[in-house]
Every structure is written in structure tokens, then in C-alpha cells.
Coordinates of all heavy atoms in Angstrom, one line a residue:
W729 N -59.1 -14.6 11.3 CA -60.0 -14.8 12.5 C -61.4 -14.8 12.0 O -61.8 -13.9 11.2 CB -59.8 -13.6 13.4 CG -58.4 -13.6 14.0 CD1 -57.2 -13.5 13.3 CD2 -58.0 -13.5 15.4 NE1 -56.2 -13.5 14.2 CE2 -56.7 -13.5 15.5 CE3 -58.8 -13.6 16.5 CZ2 -56.0 -13.5 16.7 CZ3 -58.1 -13.5 17.7 CH2 -56.7 -13.5 17.8
D730 N -62.2 -15.7 12.5 CA -63.6 -15.8 12.1 C -64.5 -15.0 13.0 O -65.6 -14.7 12.7 CB -64.0 -17.3 12.1 CG -63.3 -18.0 10.9 OD1 -62.9 -17.4 9.9 OD2 -63.2 -19.3 11.1
I731 N -64.0 -14.8 14.2 CA -64.8 -14.1 15.2 C -64.1 -12.9 15.8 O -62.9 -13.1 16.1 CB -65.2 -15.1 16.4 CG1 -66.0 -16.2 15.8 CG2 -66.0 -14.3 17.5 CD1 -66.3 -17.3 16.9
M732 N -64.7 -11.8 15.9 CA -64.1 -10.7 16.6 C -64.9 -10.4 17.9 O -66.2 -10.3 17.8 CB -64.2 -9.4 15.7 CG -63.5 -8.3 16.4 SD -63.9 -6.7 15.7 CE -65.5 -6.4 16.4
W733 N -64.3 -10.3 19.0 CA -64.9 -9.9 20.2 C -64.6 -8.5 20.5 O -63.5 -8.0 20.5 CB -64.4 -10.8 21.4 CG -64.7 -12.2 21.2 CD1 -63.9 -13.2 20.6 CD2 -65.9 -12.9 21.6 NE1 -64.6 -14.4 20.6 CE2 -65.8 -14.2 21.2 CE3 -67.1 -12.5 22.2 CZ2 -66.8 -15.2 21.4 CZ3 -68.0 -13.4 22.5 CH2 -67.9 -14.7 22.1
Y734 N -65.7 -7.7 20.8 CA -65.6 -6.3 21.2 C -66.1 -6.3 22.7 O -67.2 -6.5 22.9 CB -66.4 -5.4 20.3 CG -66.4 -4.0 20.8 CD1 -65.2 -3.3 20.8 CD2 -67.5 -3.4 21.2 CE1 -65.2 -1.9 21.2 CE2 -67.5 -2.0 21.6 CZ -66.4 -1.3 21.6 OH -66.3 0.0 22.0
L735 N -65.1 -6.1 23.6 CA -65.5 -6.1 25.0 C -65.2 -4.8 25.6 O -64.1 -4.4 25.8 CB -64.6 -7.2 25.7 CG -64.8 -7.4 27.2 CD1 -66.2 -7.9 27.5 CD2 -63.8 -8.4 27.7
P736 N -66.3 -4.0 25.9 CA -66.1 -2.7 26.6 C -65.9 -3.0 28.1 O -66.5 -3.8 28.7 CB -67.4 -2.0 26.3 CG -68.4 -3.1 26.1 CD -67.7 -4.3 25.6
L737 N -64.9 -2.3 28.6 CA -64.6 -2.4 30.0 C -64.8 -1.0 30.7 O -64.3 0.0 30.2 CB -63.1 -2.8 30.2 CG -62.7 -4.1 29.6 CD1 -61.2 -4.4 29.7 CD2 -63.5 -5.3 30.2
Y738 N -65.6 -1.0 31.7 CA -65.9 0.2 32.4 C -65.6 0.0 33.9 O -65.7 -1.1 34.4 CB -67.4 0.6 32.3 CG -67.8 0.8 30.8 CD1 -68.6 0.0 30.2 CD2 -67.3 2.0 30.2 CE1 -69.0 0.2 28.9 CE2 -67.7 2.2 28.9 CZ -68.5 1.3 28.2 OH -68.9 1.6 26.9
N739 N -65.3 1.1 34.6 CA -65.2 1.0 36.1 C -66.5 1.0 36.8 O -66.6 0.5 37.9 CB -64.3 2.2 36.5 CG -62.9 2.1 36.1 OD1 -62.4 1.0 35.9 ND2 -62.2 3.2 35.9
D740 N -67.5 1.6 36.2 CA -68.8 1.8 36.8 C -69.7 0.6 36.4 O -70.0 0.5 35.2 CB -69.4 3.1 36.4 CG -70.7 3.4 37.1 OD1 -71.4 2.5 37.6 OD2 -71.2 4.6 37.0
G741 N -70.1 -0.2 37.3 CA -70.9 -1.3 37.0 C -72.3 -1.0 36.5 O -73.0 -1.9 36.0
S742 N -72.8 0.2 36.7 CA -74.1 0.6 36.2 C -74.1 0.9 34.7 O -75.2 1.1 34.1 CB -74.6 1.8 37.0 OG -73.9 3.0 36.7
L743 N -73.0 1.1 34.1 CA -72.9 1.4 32.7 C -73.1 0.2 31.8 O -72.5 -0.9 32.1 CB -71.6 2.1 32.3 CG -71.3 3.4 32.9 CD1 -69.9 3.9 32.5 CD2 -72.3 4.4 32.5
T744 N -73.9 0.3 30.8 CA -74.1 -0.9 29.9 C -73.7 -0.4 28.5 O -73.8 0.8 28.1 CB -75.5 -1.4 29.9 OG1 -76.4 -0.3 29.5 CG2 -75.9 -1.9 31.3
H745 N -73.3 -1.4 27.7 CA -72.9 -1.0 26.3 C -74.2 -1.0 25.5 O -75.1 -1.9 25.6 CB -71.9 -2.1 25.7 CG -71.3 -1.6 24.4 ND1 -70.4 -0.6 24.4 CD2 -71.5 -2.0 23.2 CE1 -70.1 -0.4 23.1 NE2 -70.7 -1.3 22.4
P746 N -74.4 0.0 24.6 CA -75.6 0.1 23.8 C -75.7 -1.1 22.9 O -74.7 -1.7 22.5 CB -75.5 1.4 23.0 CG -74.2 2.0 23.4 CD -73.5 1.1 24.4
P747 N -76.9 -1.5 22.4 CA -77.1 -2.6 21.5 C -76.5 -2.2 20.1 O -76.2 -1.0 19.9 CB -78.6 -2.7 21.4 CG -79.2 -1.4 21.8 CD -78.2 -0.8 22.8
I748 N -76.4 -3.2 19.2 CA -76.0 -2.9 17.8 C -76.9 -1.8 17.2 O -78.2 -2.0 17.3 CB -76.0 -4.2 17.0 CG1 -74.9 -5.1 17.5 CG2 -75.7 -3.9 15.5 CD1 -74.9 -6.5 16.8
P749 N -76.4 -0.8 16.7 CA -77.2 0.3 16.1 C -78.1 -0.3 15.0 O -77.6 -1.2 14.2 CB -76.2 1.3 15.5 CG -75.0 1.1 16.3 CD -75.0 -0.4 16.7
E750 N -79.3 0.2 14.8 CA -80.2 -0.3 13.8 C -79.7 -0.2 12.4 O -80.0 -1.0 11.6 CB -81.5 0.5 13.9 CG -82.4 0.2 15.1 CD -83.7 1.0 15.1 OE1 -84.1 1.5 14.1 OE2 -84.3 1.1 16.2
I751 N -78.8 0.8 12.2 CA -78.3 1.0 10.8 C -77.4 -0.1 10.4 O -77.1 -0.3 9.2 CB -77.6 2.4 10.6 CG1 -76.4 2.5 11.6 CG2 -78.6 3.5 10.8 CD1 -75.6 3.7 11.4
Y752 N -76.9 -0.9 11.4 CA -76.0 -2.1 11.1 C -76.8 -3.4 11.2 O -76.1 -4.4 11.0 CB -74.8 -2.1 12.0 CG -73.9 -0.9 11.8 CD1 -73.9 0.1 12.8 CD2 -73.1 -0.8 10.7 CE1 -73.0 1.2 12.6 CE2 -72.2 0.3 10.5 CZ -72.2 1.3 11.5 OH -71.4 2.4 11.3
Q753 N -78.0 -3.4 11.5 CA -78.8 -4.7 11.6 C -78.7 -5.4 10.2 O -79.0 -4.8 9.2 CB -80.2 -4.4 12.0 CG -80.4 -3.9 13.4 CD -80.0 -4.8 14.5 OE1 -80.0 -6.0 14.4 NE2 -79.5 -4.2 15.6
G754 N -78.3 -6.6 10.2 CA -78.1 -7.4 9.0 C -76.8 -7.2 8.3 O -76.6 -7.8 7.3
S755 N -76.0 -6.2 8.7 CA -74.7 -6.0 8.1 C -73.7 -5.8 9.2 O -72.9 -4.8 9.2 CB -74.8 -4.8 7.2 OG -75.2 -3.6 7.9
E756 N -73.6 -6.8 10.1 CA -72.7 -6.7 11.3 C -71.3 -6.7 10.8 O -70.4 -6.2 11.5 CB -73.0 -7.8 12.3 CG -74.2 -7.7 13.1 CD -75.5 -8.1 12.4 OE1 -75.4 -8.6 11.3 OE2 -76.6 -7.9 13.0
D757 N -71.0 -7.2 9.6 CA -69.6 -7.2 9.1 C -69.1 -5.8 8.9 O -68.0 -5.5 9.1 CB -69.5 -8.1 7.9 CG -70.5 -7.7 6.8 OD1 -71.6 -7.2 7.1 OD2 -70.1 -7.8 5.6
V758 N -70.0 -4.9 8.4 CA -69.7 -3.5 8.2 C -69.4 -2.9 9.6 O -68.4 -2.1 9.7 CB -70.8 -2.8 7.5 CG1 -70.5 -1.3 7.3 CG2 -71.0 -3.4 6.1
L759 N -70.2 -3.2 10.5 CA -70.0 -2.6 11.9 C -68.7 -3.1 12.4 O -67.9 -2.3 13.0 CB -71.1 -3.1 12.8 CG -70.9 -2.7 14.3 CD1 -70.8 -1.2 14.5 CD2 -72.1 -3.3 15.2
E760 N -68.3 -4.4 12.2 CA -67.1 -4.9 12.7 C -65.9 -4.1 12.1 O -64.9 -3.7 12.8 CB -67.0 -6.4 12.4 CG -65.7 -7.0 12.8 CD -65.6 -8.5 12.4 OE1 -66.6 -9.2 12.4 OE2 -64.5 -9.0 12.2
E761 N -66.0 -3.9 10.8 CA -64.9 -3.1 10.1 C -64.8 -1.7 10.6 O -63.7 -1.3 10.9 CB -65.3 -3.0 8.6 CG -64.3 -2.3 7.8 CD -64.7 -2.2 6.3 OE1 -65.5 -3.0 5.8 OE2 -64.3 -1.2 5.7
H762 N -65.9 -1.1 10.9 CA -65.9 0.3 11.5 C -65.3 0.3 12.9 O -64.6 1.2 13.3 CB -67.2 0.9 11.4 CG -67.7 1.2 10.0 ND1 -69.0 1.7 9.7 CD2 -67.1 1.1 8.8 CE1 -69.1 1.9 8.4 NE2 -68.0 1.5 7.9
V763 N -65.7 -0.7 13.7 CA -65.2 -0.8 15.1 C -63.6 -0.9 15.0 O -62.9 -0.2 15.7 CB -65.8 -2.0 15.8 CG1 -65.0 -2.3 17.1 CG2 -67.3 -1.7 16.1
I764 N -63.1 -1.8 14.1 CA -61.7 -2.0 14.0 C -61.0 -0.7 13.5 O -59.9 -0.4 14.0 CB -61.4 -3.2 13.1 CG1 -61.8 -4.5 13.8 CG2 -59.9 -3.2 12.7 CD1 -61.8 -5.7 12.8
K765 N -61.7 0.0 12.7 CA -61.1 1.3 12.1 C -61.1 2.4 13.1 O -60.5 3.5 12.9 CB -61.7 1.7 10.8 CG -61.3 0.8 9.7 CD -61.9 1.3 8.4 CE -61.4 0.4 7.2 NZ -61.9 0.9 5.9
G766 N -61.9 2.3 14.2 CA -61.8 3.3 15.2 C -63.1 4.1 15.6 O -63.2 4.8 16.5
A767 N -64.1 4.0 14.7 CA -65.4 4.7 15.0 C -66.5 4.1 14.2 O -66.3 3.6 13.1 CB -65.2 6.2 14.7
H768 N -67.7 4.2 14.7 CA -68.9 3.8 14.0 C -70.1 4.7 14.4 O -70.1 5.2 15.4 CB -69.2 2.3 14.2 CG -69.6 2.0 15.6 ND1 -70.9 2.1 16.0 CD2 -68.9 1.5 16.6 CE1 -71.0 1.7 17.3 NE2 -69.8 1.4 17.7
L769 N -71.0 4.8 13.4 CA -72.2 5.6 13.7 C -73.2 4.8 14.6 O -73.3 3.6 14.4 CB -72.9 5.9 12.4 CG -72.3 7.0 11.5 CD1 -73.0 7.0 10.1 CD2 -72.3 8.4 12.1
M770 N -73.8 5.6 15.5 CA -74.8 5.0 16.3 C -76.2 5.2 15.6 O -77.1 4.5 15.9 CB -74.8 5.6 17.7 CG -73.6 5.3 18.5 SD -73.4 3.6 18.9 CE -74.8 3.2 19.9
N771 N -76.3 6.3 14.8 CA -77.5 6.6 14.0 C -77.0 7.4 12.9 O -76.0 8.0 12.9 CB -78.5 7.3 14.9 CG -78.0 8.7 15.3 OD1 -76.9 8.9 15.8 ND2 -78.9 9.7 15.0
K772 N -77.9 7.5 11.9 CA -77.6 8.3 10.7 C -78.8 9.1 10.3 O -79.9 8.6 10.2 CB -77.2 7.3 9.5 CG -76.7 8.1 8.3 CD -76.1 7.1 7.3 CE -75.6 7.8 6.0 NZ -74.6 8.8 6.2
L773 N -78.5 10.4 10.1 CA -79.6 11.3 9.7 C -79.7 11.2 8.2 O -78.8 11.1 7.4 CB -79.2 12.7 10.1 CG -79.1 13.0 11.6 CD1 -78.7 14.4 11.9 CD2 -80.4 12.7 12.4
S774 N -81.0 11.4 7.7 CA -81.2 11.4 6.3 C -80.7 12.7 5.7 O -80.6 13.7 6.4 CB -82.7 11.2 6.0 OG -83.4 12.4 6.4
A775 N -80.5 12.6 4.4 CA -80.1 13.9 3.7 C -81.2 15.0 3.8 O -80.8 16.1 4.0 CB -79.9 13.5 2.2
D776 N -82.4 14.6 3.8 CA -83.5 15.6 4.0 C -83.4 16.3 5.4 O -83.6 17.5 5.5 CB -84.9 14.9 3.8 CG -86.0 15.9 3.9 OD1 -86.0 16.9 3.1 OD2 -86.9 15.6 4.7
V777 N -83.2 15.5 6.4 CA -83.1 16.1 7.7 C -81.9 17.0 7.8 O -81.9 18.1 8.3 CB -83.0 14.9 8.8 CG1 -82.6 15.5 10.2 CG2 -84.3 14.2 8.9
K778 N -80.8 16.5 7.2 CA -79.5 17.4 7.3 C -79.7 18.7 6.5 O -79.2 19.7 6.9 CB -78.4 16.6 6.7 CG -77.9 15.5 7.5 CD -76.7 14.8 6.9 CE -76.2 13.6 7.7 NZ -75.1 13.0 7.1
A779 N -80.5 18.6 5.4 CA -80.7 19.8 4.6 C -81.7 20.8 5.2 O -81.6 22.0 5.0 CB -81.2 19.4 3.2
N780 N -82.6 20.3 6.1 CA -83.7 21.1 6.5 C -83.8 21.3 8.1 O -84.8 21.8 8.6 CB -85.1 20.6 6.1 CG -85.1 20.6 4.5 OD1 -85.0 21.6 3.9 ND2 -85.4 19.4 4.0
S781 N -82.7 20.9 8.8 CA -82.7 21.0 10.2 C -81.4 21.5 10.7 O -80.4 21.4 10.0 CB -83.0 19.6 10.8 OG -84.2 19.1 10.4
T782 N -81.4 21.9 12.0 CA -80.1 22.2 12.6 C -79.6 20.9 13.1 O -80.3 20.1 13.8 CB -80.4 23.2 13.8 OG1 -81.0 24.4 13.4 CG2 -79.1 23.5 14.5
C783 N -78.4 20.6 12.7 CA -77.8 19.2 13.0 C -76.4 19.4 13.5 O -75.7 20.3 13.2 CB -77.7 18.4 11.7 SG -79.3 18.2 10.9
V784 N -76.0 18.4 14.4 CA -74.7 18.3 14.9 C -74.3 16.9 14.9 O -75.1 16.0 14.8 CB -74.5 18.9 16.3 CG1 -74.8 20.4 16.4 CG2 -75.4 18.2 17.3
R785 N -73.0 16.6 15.0 CA -72.5 15.3 15.1 C -71.7 15.2 16.4 O -70.8 16.0 16.7 CB -71.5 14.9 14.0 CG -70.9 13.5 14.1 CD -70.2 13.1 12.9 NE -71.1 12.8 11.8 CZ -70.8 12.8 10.5 NH1 -69.6 13.1 10.1 NH2 -71.7 12.6 9.6
L786 N -72.2 14.3 17.3 CA -71.5 14.2 18.6 C -70.7 12.9 18.6 O -71.1 11.9 18.1 CB -72.6 14.0 19.7 CG -73.7 15.1 19.8 CD1 -74.8 14.7 20.8 CD2 -73.0 16.4 20.2
C787 N -69.5 13.0 19.2 CA -68.6 11.9 19.3 C -68.3 11.6 20.7 O -68.1 12.4 21.6 CB -67.3 12.2 18.6 SG -67.4 12.6 16.9
G788 N -68.3 10.3 21.1 CA -68.0 9.8 22.4 C -67.6 8.4 22.4 O -68.0 7.6 21.5
G789 N -66.8 8.0 23.4 CA -66.4 6.7 23.5 C -66.2 6.2 24.9 O -66.1 7.1 25.8
G790 N -66.1 5.0 25.1 CA -65.9 4.4 26.5 C -67.0 4.8 27.4 O -68.2 4.8 27.1
A791 N -66.6 5.3 28.6 CA -67.6 5.7 29.6 C -68.4 6.9 29.3 O -69.4 7.2 29.8 CB -66.8 5.9 31.0
L792 N -67.9 7.7 28.3 CA -68.6 8.9 27.9 C -69.7 8.6 26.8 O -70.5 9.5 26.6 CB -67.6 9.9 27.3 CG -66.7 10.6 28.4 CD1 -65.8 11.6 27.7 CD2 -67.6 11.3 29.4
L793 N -69.7 7.4 26.2 CA -70.7 7.2 25.2 C -72.1 7.3 25.7 O -73.0 7.9 25.1 CB -70.5 5.8 24.5 CG -71.4 5.5 23.4 CD1 -71.4 6.5 22.3 CD2 -71.1 4.1 22.8
P794 N -72.4 6.7 26.9 CA -73.8 6.9 27.4 C -74.2 8.4 27.6 O -75.3 8.8 27.4 CB -73.8 6.1 28.8 CG -72.7 5.1 28.6 CD -71.7 5.8 27.8
E795 N -73.2 9.2 28.1 CA -73.5 10.6 28.2 C -73.7 11.3 26.9 O -74.4 12.2 26.8 CB -72.3 11.2 29.0 CG -72.2 10.7 30.5 CD -73.6 10.9 31.2 OE1 -74.2 12.0 31.2 OE2 -74.0 9.9 31.9
T796 N -73.0 10.8 25.9 CA -73.1 11.4 24.5 C -74.5 11.1 24.0 O -75.2 12.0 23.4 CB -72.1 10.8 23.6 OG1 -70.8 11.0 24.2 CG2 -72.1 11.4 22.2
L797 N -75.0 9.9 24.3 CA -76.4 9.5 23.9 C -77.4 10.3 24.6 O -78.4 10.7 24.1 CB -76.6 8.0 24.0 CG -75.7 7.1 23.1 CD1 -75.8 5.6 23.5 CD2 -76.1 7.3 21.6
R798 N -77.1 10.6 25.9 CA -78.0 11.4 26.7 C -78.0 12.8 26.2 O -79.1 13.4 26.1 CB -77.5 11.4 28.2 CG -78.5 12.1 29.1 CD -78.1 11.7 30.6 NE -78.7 12.7 31.4 CZ -78.1 13.7 32.0 NH1 -76.8 13.8 32.0 NH2 -78.7 14.6 32.8
A799 N -76.9 13.3 25.8 CA -76.8 14.7 25.2 C -77.6 14.7 23.9 O -78.3 15.8 23.6 CB -75.4 15.1 24.9
Q800 N -77.6 13.7 23.1 CA -78.4 13.6 21.9 C -79.9 13.8 22.2 O -80.6 14.5 21.6 CB -78.1 12.3 21.2 CG -79.0 12.1 20.0 CD -79.0 10.6 19.5 OE1 -78.7 9.7 20.2 NE2 -79.3 10.5 18.2
Q801 N -80.3 13.0 23.3 CA -81.7 13.1 23.7 C -82.1 14.5 24.1 O -83.2 15.0 23.7 CB -82.0 12.1 24.8 CG -81.9 10.7 24.3 CD -82.1 9.7 25.5 OE1 -81.9 10.1 26.7 NE2 -82.4 8.4 25.2
I802 N -81.3 15.1 24.9 CA -81.6 16.5 25.4 C -81.6 17.5 24.2 O -82.5 18.3 24.1 CB -80.5 16.9 26.4 CG1 -80.7 16.1 27.7 CG2 -80.6 18.4 26.7 CD1 -79.5 16.2 28.7
L803 N -80.6 17.4 23.3 CA -80.6 18.4 22.2 C -81.8 18.2 21.3 O -82.4 19.2 20.8 CB -79.3 18.2 21.4 CG -78.0 18.7 22.0 CD1 -76.8 18.2 21.3 CD2 -78.0 20.2 22.1
E804 N -82.2 16.9 21.0 CA -83.3 16.7 20.2 C -84.7 17.1 20.8 O -85.5 17.7 20.2 CB -83.3 15.3 19.7 CG -82.2 15.0 18.7 CD -82.1 13.5 18.3 OE1 -82.9 12.7 18.8 OE2 -81.3 13.3 17.4
S805 N -84.8 16.7 22.1 CA -86.1 17.0 22.7 C -86.3 18.4 23.2 O -87.4 19.0 23.1 CB -86.3 16.0 23.9 OG -85.4 16.3 24.9
Q806 N -85.3 19.1 23.7 CA -85.4 20.4 24.3 C -85.0 21.5 23.3 O -85.5 22.7 23.5 CB -84.6 20.5 25.5 CG -85.1 19.6 26.6 CD -84.2 19.7 27.9 OE1 -83.5 20.7 28.1 NE2 -84.4 18.7 28.8
F807 N -84.2 21.2 22.3 CA -83.7 22.3 21.5 C -83.9 22.1 20.0 O -83.5 22.9 19.1 CB -82.2 22.5 21.7 CG -81.9 22.9 23.1 CD1 -81.5 21.9 24.0 CD2 -82.0 24.2 23.6 CE1 -81.2 22.2 25.4 CE2 -81.7 24.5 24.9 CZ -81.3 23.6 25.8
N808 N -84.6 21.0 19.7 CA -84.9 20.6 18.3 C -83.7 20.6 17.4 O -83.7 21.0 16.2 CB -86.0 21.6 17.7 CG -86.7 21.0 16.5 OD1 -86.8 19.8 16.4 ND2 -87.1 21.8 15.6
V809 N -82.6 20.1 17.9 CA -81.3 20.0 17.2 C -81.1 18.5 16.9 O -81.1 17.7 17.9 CB -80.1 20.5 18.0 CG1 -78.8 20.2 17.3 CG2 -80.2 22.0 18.2
Q810 N -81.1 18.1 15.7 CA -80.9 16.7 15.3 C -79.4 16.3 15.4 O -78.6 17.1 15.0 CB -81.4 16.5 13.8 CG -82.9 16.9 13.6 CD -83.8 16.1 14.6 OE1 -83.8 14.9 14.7 NE2 -84.5 16.9 15.4
C811 N -79.2 15.1 15.9 CA -77.8 14.7 16.1 C -77.5 13.3 15.5 O -78.3 12.4 15.6 CB -77.6 14.5 17.6 SG -78.0 15.9 18.6
E812 N -76.3 13.2 14.9 CA -75.7 11.9 14.6 C -74.7 11.7 15.7 O -74.0 12.6 16.1 CB -75.0 12.0 13.3 CG -75.9 11.8 12.1 CD -75.1 11.7 10.8 OE1 -73.9 12.1 10.7 OE2 -75.7 11.3 9.8
V813 N -74.7 10.4 16.2 CA -73.7 10.1 17.2 C -72.7 9.1 16.7 O -73.1 8.1 16.1 CB -74.4 9.5 18.5 CG1 -73.4 9.0 19.5 CG2 -75.4 10.5 19.1
V814 N -71.4 9.4 16.9 CA -70.3 8.6 16.5 C -69.7 7.9 17.7 O -69.3 8.7 18.6 CB -69.2 9.4 15.7 CG1 -68.1 8.4 15.3 CG2 -69.8 10.0 14.5
A815 N -69.7 6.6 17.8 CA -69.0 5.9 18.9 C -67.6 5.7 18.5 O -67.2 5.1 17.5 CB -69.7 4.6 19.1
L816 N -66.7 6.3 19.4 CA -65.3 6.1 19.1 C -64.8 4.8 19.8 O -65.0 4.7 21.0 CB -64.5 7.3 19.7 CG -65.0 8.7 19.2 CD1 -64.3 9.8 19.9 CD2 -64.8 8.8 17.7
T817 N -64.1 4.0 19.0 CA -63.6 2.7 19.6 C -62.1 2.7 19.7 O -61.5 2.0 20.5 CB -64.1 1.5 18.8 OG1 -63.7 1.7 17.4 CG2 -65.6 1.4 18.8
S818 N -61.4 3.6 18.9 CA -60.0 3.7 19.0 C -59.5 5.0 18.5 O -59.4 5.2 17.2 CB -59.3 2.5 18.2 OG -57.9 2.7 18.2
C819 N -59.2 5.9 19.3 CA -58.7 7.2 18.9 C -57.3 7.1 18.3 O -56.9 7.8 17.4 CB -58.7 8.2 20.1 SG -60.4 8.7 20.6
T820 N -56.6 6.1 18.8 CA -55.2 5.8 18.3 C -55.3 5.4 16.8 O -54.5 5.9 16.0 CB -54.5 4.7 19.1 OG1 -54.5 5.1 20.5 CG2 -53.2 4.4 18.6
E821 N -56.2 4.5 16.5 CA -56.4 4.1 15.1 C -56.9 5.2 14.2 O -56.4 5.4 13.1 CB -57.4 2.9 15.0 CG -57.5 2.3 13.7 CD -56.2 1.8 13.1 OE1 -55.3 1.3 13.9 OE2 -56.0 1.9 11.9
L822 N -57.8 6.1 14.7 CA -58.2 7.2 14.0 C -57.0 8.2 13.7 O -56.9 8.7 12.6 CB -59.3 8.0 14.7 CG -60.6 7.2 14.8 CD1 -61.6 7.9 15.7 CD2 -61.3 7.0 13.4
Y823 N -56.2 8.4 14.7 CA -55.0 9.2 14.6 C -54.0 8.6 13.5 O -53.5 9.3 12.6 CB -54.3 9.3 15.9 CG -52.9 10.0 15.8 CD1 -52.8 11.4 15.6 CD2 -51.7 9.3 15.8 CE1 -51.6 12.0 15.5 CE2 -50.5 9.9 15.7 CZ -50.4 11.2 15.6 OH -49.2 11.9 15.4
R824 N -53.8 7.3 13.6 CA -52.9 6.7 12.6 C -53.5 6.9 11.1 O -52.7 7.2 10.2 CB -52.8 5.2 12.8 CG -52.0 4.8 14.0 CD -51.8 3.3 14.1 NE -51.3 2.9 15.4 CZ -51.7 2.0 16.2 NH1 -52.8 1.3 15.9 NH2 -51.2 1.8 17.4
Q825 N -54.8 6.7 11.0 CA -55.4 6.9 9.7 C -55.3 8.4 9.2 O -55.0 8.6 8.0 CB -56.9 6.5 9.7 CG -57.1 5.0 9.9 CD -58.5 4.7 10.0 OE1 -59.4 5.2 9.3 NE2 -58.8 3.8 11.0
A826 N -55.5 9.3 10.1 CA -55.4 10.7 9.7 C -53.9 11.1 9.4 O -53.7 11.8 8.4 CB -55.9 11.6 10.9
K827 N -53.0 10.5 10.1 CA -51.6 10.8 9.8 C -51.1 10.2 8.5 O -50.3 10.8 7.8 CB -50.8 10.2 11.0 CG -49.3 10.7 11.0 CD -48.7 10.2 12.3 CE -47.2 10.5 12.2 NZ -46.5 10.0 13.4
A828 N -51.7 9.2 8.1 CA -51.4 8.5 6.8 C -51.9 9.2 5.6 O -51.4 9.0 4.5 CB -51.9 7.1 6.8
V829 N -52.8 10.2 5.8 CA -53.4 10.9 4.6 C -52.5 11.9 4.1 O -51.8 12.6 4.6 CB -54.8 11.5 5.0 CG1 -55.3 12.4 3.9 CG2 -55.7 10.4 5.4

């Protein structure tokens, strides 16, 4: 297949899918691989930030991804907690991979 379509389906018409994360700009093939494997980063914290800050990794997918991104904003702005956000695209695929290890 030369083209992969990723079509998010939501019940709520007000939800929009976030744009391609900046960390994948120019390397959409890597993003495609991560989407197929079940999860991809929405942002990545530097090693310096991880070493010198309170950090968490938030995971969300589907209709909860916008709320996960909102939680990131709240944690960073109100509590000075730095967040990496992982967008889950297939919990089934992640389970298969974990089971195979």
C-alpha cells in the first residue's frame, strides 16, 4: 500500500483530530509506523527537562485524546508538571505486542 488513511471517528461533532505532532514534521513515515503499531507521541520532553522537572506521561485515545491534551495544559500551567502525551491508536495492537514479548 502506498497510502495509509487514518480516519478518527467520533460521536461528538465538536471534537477535532489534532494536527500532526511537530516531532513528526518531515518524517510522516515514522508517524505512520507508530500509528499502525498502536501509539505515537504527541510531544517529547528533552532529557534535560526529564532530569530537572517533575514529569508524567499521559496516555489517551479516541474521544479522550482532546481531554488528555487539556489535562497536559492544566498540569503544566497550574502545577508546573511537564507532560509527554501518548496518543493511543490501537490498544489491541499494543496488547498483541506486549503478549509477544
Side-chain angles (χ1 to χ4, degrees):
W729 297 54
D730 293 334
I731 298 174
M732 183 198 78
W733 294 93
Y734 176 63
L735 179 63
L737 301 174
Y738 300 109
N739 291 331
D740 184 344
S742 68
L743 295 177
T744 59
H745 193 71
I748 293 176
E750 288 181 20
I751 60 173
Y752 294 108
Q753 295 294 332
S755 57
E756 286 81 5
D757 55 327
V758 175
L759 174 60
E760 179 180 331
E761 179 183 336
H762 292 176
V763 167
I764 291 169
K765 287 185 175 182
H768 66 86
L769 285 171
M770 294 298 293
N771 67 308
K772 186 167 179 64
L773 298 176
S774 70
D776 183 54
V777 169
K778 288 180 182 181
N780 298 304
S781 303
T782 302
C783 303
V784 297
R785 180 171 286 159
L786 304 174
C787 301
L792 289 179
L793 183 56
E795 295 304 315
T796 306
L797 294 169
R798 187 167 160 253
Q800 175 192 23
Q801 292 174 342
I802 293 168
L803 286 167
E804 290 178 352
S805 66
Q806 296 180 18
F807 300 98
N808 200 30
V809 173
Q810 301 304 304
C811 305
E812 280 185 340
V813 176
V814 177
L816 303 175
T817 56
S818 176
C819 291
T820 302
E821 186 58 32
L822 292 172
Y823 171 77
R824 285 186 195 131
Q825 291 174 45
K827 193 173 175 183
V829 172

